[in-house]
Amino acid sequence: MDIEQPSHFRPSKGDFRWEAVAHQPYKQDGSAPFKDISRQVLFHEDSLGCELRYFEMDAGGYSTLERHEHSHAVMILRGQGDCLLGDEVYPVKQFDLVTIPSWTWHQFRATAGEPLGFLCMVNVVRDRPQLPTEEEFTRLMATPAIARFLERS
Ligand code: MN
């Protein structure tokens, strides 16, 4: 048996952690704004062309407001909060599904006083996320629901 290969069975350790899965900071480079969020890559399968990650933010935490060419398929796995998607803000809760199309602004926020965790499927090969310019941010803020969402911090 080749011990260099990752195990094909990695049991849950409970509390949204898994054996042989590294618990990492959300982003390594620190170049984009985010708060109190961690990342675990559950699957990275070149044969499938996709990765499945689990992101979790503490109460009050949030992911980066960004957009990019690649898409995401998200399932909320823990807790509840809010999700900005395009021109809308959606309340999200455990097992809700969110599809994030190409070039659509998105951000998750743990707004319910509890952790918010979600599975996120994404292409292995993908473009780098864009952050809003000042002009784009101003345009987003023109929608009242989005302004209320973004002003929480
Ligand atoms: Mn994204």
Side-chain angles (χ1 to χ4, degrees):
M1 183 181 158
D2 183 357
I3 59 167
E4 298 299 314
Q5 292 299 314
S7 172
H8 292 161
F9 177 67
R10 293 169 292 164
S12 167
K13 297 195 289 187
D15 200 29
F16 302 90
R17 303 284 182 103
W18 292 267
E19 296 287 350
V21 173
H23 189 264
Q24 301 171 298
Y26 174 57
K27 288 182 178 171
Q28 312 285 7
D29 57 16
S31 61
F34 58 87
K35 185 182 175 195
D36 296 339
I37 174 166
S38 63
R39 172 171 69 112
Q40 297 176 79
V41 178
L42 306 180
F43 297 96
H44 174 109
E45 291 295 337
D46 289 326
S47 62
L48 292 169
C50 74
E51 280 184 7
L52 186 66
R53 301 90 52 87
Y54 176 70
F55 295 99
E56 188 177 288
M57 52 207 83
D58 300 335
Y62 50 84
S63 62
T64 300
L65 173 61
E66 63 180 29
R67 68 177 179 178
H68 35 65
E69 184 174 23
H70 62 272
S71 307
H72 294 306
V74 168
M75 176 192 273
I76 307 299
L77 199 61
R78 177 180 192 176
Q80 49 191 323
D82 288 295
C83 169
L84 165 64
L85 181 62
D87 296 328
E88 305 267 355
V89 177
Y90 299 95
V92 294
K93 63 181 188 310
Q94 189 183 38
F95 304 136
D96 285 350
L97 302 174
V98 183
T99 302
I100 300 170
S102 198
W103 296 118
T104 304
W105 294 114
H106 57 283
Q107 185 179 50
F108 289 87
R109 287 180 175 251
T111 51
E114 59 179 287
L116 175 66
F118 58 89
L119 297 169
C120 178
M121 189 164 66
V122 71
N123 311 69
V124 166
V125 178
R126 55 188 184 268
D127 60 315
R128 190 177 174 81
Q130 288 183 359
L131 306 181
T133 62
E134 205 169 310
E135 188 181 353
E136 288 162 340
F137 190 81
T138 300
R139 198 175 60 75
L140 285 164
M141 291 289 282
T143 301
I146 291 178
R148 285 193 297 276
F149 172 88
L150 293 173
E151 281 164 356
R152 317 174 74 127
S153 60

